[in-house]
């Protein structure tokens, strides 16, 4: 294959296409040498797991590195309202399901407002390292606003990584512009590589100034998506593929999608559950199309992992999300508030803070490595555990305050992050909410234990009755090291006959509109 220089300007590193394609082809996501086996991308990956130039791009991107998502935040600016296709899981009233959970964005921003917002957030949240444009429509159906936003931000805050999510229809037309603005991370939502499947997902696309319907719409979309992916790979731009798992429509087919995108150099594959409820007003919501269960989703992700590592920590964010992936701080940064803020962009202060985050991160990795010794003799037993955390890789959330639980799989290979479960808040105004406890139990029903910083007597008793052990003895300690320590005790108890190991059942993925974010009303 001939080498060429694309997307580089004088004085900048030259991208060797042959070299990049080779590395992409060899690469299985990242973190492949982690003790957790093929971890969700970057689970405990470090510079030794991948080429240095790729590590530089992913090390503090919370979506491209599972391990980084405990420590680094992202933000989205909602500058892109229009879309050029129709998905059956989307209602124009709601955020783009490519990157957004159902819910209206509070405000649409001009590029200038967006740039001010980025500075305001970067000044307040020094671990915010990535700015993404992800809707509420398609960023490349709004190219002027999208690239003007990137231009402004790259001028005022050059340390912030730029990220983009698209349905891919217009992607081939804009890849050079993407390279020009050094947008190093691009997500394409690819739900099919067969128009026969696609016709059940996409009723139409707007292409060459006209609306195209039926199977032809999906054929055009598929060809443009795959061409766009190849063009990104050729330029050394990291491409992540999002796929929405729609049981009975594309669930079996997503293994083929996985192979097709891997072959074209995709860096990471993120299979997300369809979130579909009648109140969303989508075609799928109204016709009763269900989403997958937690175990159906995990089984598909596991099946695809043989070909490529999988992202499992996606939160299906809003198009105006701000903060760590599991939190939403967008209400702190409305236009009114940021206009009133005294914004001081302190690049040095941000750098110092991020150096401290790196030290914390390395301490966590070291603690896990210490604890993992001796696990290789455990045999075939593996269990899931749920963890209440506010971030930093630590068990630091009370059971009653958790809006989600992170789920880890414990086995002879160690602790591996395999997903998260959104839940209703148990603690409401100082009282436990019994209905919420039911939804929590259903959401983590496949887990043997739940790790929390603190838990009250009532939920403790109810969880034990449901066969889920509440564990609070590791409060404020590192998640993975604590989970492995607990697992060793569990295995010792099984070996001694003190307890009998039993398989747990399936668990439910929350289907209703998320209620934790203050901006979702209306
Ligand atoms: Fe945003 Fe997407 Fe960039 Fe991340 S989100 S544009 S890659 S900065 Fe991340 Fe959110 Fe999942 Fe997207 S958790 S929905 S994968
Ligand atoms: Fe909706 Fe996004 Fe699909 Fe467009 S690409 S129809 S905004 S989900």
């Amino acid at each position: 294959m001939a080498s060429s220089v694309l997307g580089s300007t004088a004085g900048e590193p030259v991208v060797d296409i042959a070299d990049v394609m080779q590395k992409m082809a060899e690469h299985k996501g990242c973190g492949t040498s982690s003790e957790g086996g093929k971890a969700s991308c970057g689970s405990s990956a470090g510079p030794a797991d991948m080429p240095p130039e790729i590590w530089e791009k992913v090390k503090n991107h919370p979506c491209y590195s599972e391990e980084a998502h405990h420590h680094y935040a992202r933000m989205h600016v909602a500058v892109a309202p229009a879309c050029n296709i129709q998905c059956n899981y989307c209602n124009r009233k709601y955020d783009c399901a490519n990157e957004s959970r159902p819910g209206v964005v509070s405000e649409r921003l001009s590029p200038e407002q967006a740039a001010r917002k980025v500075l305001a957030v970067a000044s307040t949240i020094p671990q915010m390292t990535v700015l993404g444009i992800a809707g509420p429509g398609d960023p490349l159906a709004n190219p002027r606003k999208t690239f003007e936003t990137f231009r402004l931000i790259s001028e005022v805050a050059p340390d912030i990584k730029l990220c983009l999510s698209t349905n891919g229809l217009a992607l081939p037309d804009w890849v050079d512009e993407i390279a020009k603005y050094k947008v190093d991370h691009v997500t394409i939502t690819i739900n099919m590589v067969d128009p026969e499947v696609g016709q059940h997902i996409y009723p139409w696309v707007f292409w060459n100034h006209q609306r195209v319907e039926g199977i032809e719409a999906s054929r055009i979309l598929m060809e443009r998506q795959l061409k766009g992916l190849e063009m990104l790979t050729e330029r050394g731009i990291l491409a992540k593929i999002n796929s929405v798992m729609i049981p009975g429509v594309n669930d079996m087919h997503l293994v083929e999608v996985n192979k097709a995108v891997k072959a074209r150099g995709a860096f990471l594959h993120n299979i997300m559950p369809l979130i579909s409820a009648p109140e969303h007003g989508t075609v799928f919501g109204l016709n009763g199309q269900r989403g997958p269960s937690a175990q159906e989703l995990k089984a598909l992700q596991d099946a695809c992992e043989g070909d490529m590592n999988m992202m499992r920590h996606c939160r299906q964010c809003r198009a105006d999300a701000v903060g760590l992936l599991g939190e939403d701080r967008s209400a702190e940064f409305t236009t009114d508030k940021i206009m009133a803020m005294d914004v001081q962009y302190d690049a040095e202060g941000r750098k110092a803070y991020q150096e401290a985050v790196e030290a914390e991160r390395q301490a966590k990795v070291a603690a896990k490595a210490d604890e993992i010794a001796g696990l290789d003799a455990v045999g075939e037993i593996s269990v899931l555990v749920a963890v209440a955390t506010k971030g930093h890789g630590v068990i630091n959330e009370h059971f009653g305050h958790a809006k989600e639980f992170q789920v880890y799989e414990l086995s002879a290979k160690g602790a591996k992050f395999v997903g998260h479960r959104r839940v209703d808040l148990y603690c409401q105004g100082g009282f436990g909410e019994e209905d919420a406890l039911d939804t929590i139990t259903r959401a983590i029903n496949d887990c043997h234990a739940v790790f929390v910083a603190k838990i009250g007597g009532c939920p403790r008793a109810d969880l034990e009755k449901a066969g889920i052990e509440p564990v609070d003895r590791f409060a404020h300690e590192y998640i993975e090291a604590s989970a492995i320590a607990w697992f060793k005790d569990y295995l010792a108890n099984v070996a001694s006959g003190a307890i009998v190991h039993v398989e747990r059942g399936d668990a439910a993925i929350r289907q209703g509109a998320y209620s934790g974010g203050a901006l979702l009303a209306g």
Side-chain angles (χ1 to χ4, degrees), residues 61-64 74-76 97-101 130-134 162-165 185-187 240 242 270 272 311 313-318 321 325:
H61 193 308
C63 304
Y64 282 67
R74 55 76 185 98
M75 70 175 291
H76 292 161
N98 284 341
E99 289 286 337
S100 315
R101 66 190 175 222
V130 177
L131 177 274
I133 300 183
L162 303 177
C163 195
L164 166 72
S165 171
H185 303 81
V186 174
T187 295
K240 172 167 73 61
N242 282 1
N270 171 26
M272 313 180 290
M311 177 182 186
H313 59 284
C314 177
R315 301 306 199 277
Q316 290 167 279
C317 315
R318 295 167 54 104
L325 294 194

Side-chain angles (χ1 to χ4, degrees), residues 80-85 137-146 166-167 170 174:
C83 192
N84 47 6
I85 71 171
D138 186 79
L140 299 180
N142 304 262
R144 194 197 64 75
K145 288 179 186 160
T146 293
T166 176
N167 61 43
W174 295 105

Side-chain angles (χ1 to χ4, degrees), residues 29-210:
C30 49
T32 51
S33 65
S34 74
E35 49 286 74
K38 283 193 181 135
S40 174
C41 194
S43 182
S44 55
D49 296 281
M50 66 190 84
E53 66 275 18
I54 295 182
W55 169 245
E56 222 19 71
K57 288 180 182 177
V58 305
K59 68 177 184 185
N60 61 1
H61 193 308
C63 304
Y64 282 67
S65 162
E66 187 280 314
E67 204 273 321
H69 103 278
H70 299 280
H71 306 278
Y72 292 102
R74 55 76 185 98
M75 70 175 291
H76 292 161
V77 286
V79 295
C83 192
N84 47 6
I85 71 171
Q86 178 64 57
C87 308
N88 279 337
Y89 46 70
C90 179
N91 177 343
R92 285 285 185 272
K93 189 175 138 198
Y94 292 91
D95 283 357
C96 172
N98 284 341
E99 289 286 337
S100 315
R101 66 190 175 222
V104 290
V105 288
S106 59
E107 299 173 304
R108 286 169 188 168
L109 303 179
S110 68
E112 293 72 23
Q113 288 171 319
R116 177 160 179 96
K117 182 171 180 177
V118 171
L119 288 184
V121 173
S123 305
T124 312
I125 308 177
Q127 71 273 41
M128 191 280 285
T129 48
V130 177
L131 177 274
I133 300 183
D138 186 79
L140 299 180
N142 304 262
R144 194 197 64 75
K145 288 179 186 160
T146 293
F147 290 108
E148 177 62 4
T149 303
F150 284 144
R151 187 187 69 75
L152 289 170
I153 290 165
S154 61
E155 277 178 9
V156 294
D159 63 318
I160 291 176
K161 287 184 163 67
L162 303 177
C163 195
L164 166 72
S165 171
T166 176
N167 61 43
L169 182 66
L171 180 58
D173 302 333
W174 295 105
V175 168
D176 288 332
E177 203 75 358
I178 287 168
K180 178 177 146 190
Y181 287 104
K182 299 189 176 58
V183 180
D184 269 340
H185 303 81
V186 174
T187 295
I188 317 170
T189 297
I190 301 182
N191 295 318
M192 53 85 202
V193 288
D194 178 353
E196 295 279 347
V197 176
Q199 65 180 325
H200 303 295
I201 303 171
Y202 305 104
W204 56 261
V205 303
F206 196 76
W207 172 243
N208 273 346
H209 311 291
Q210 58 185 342

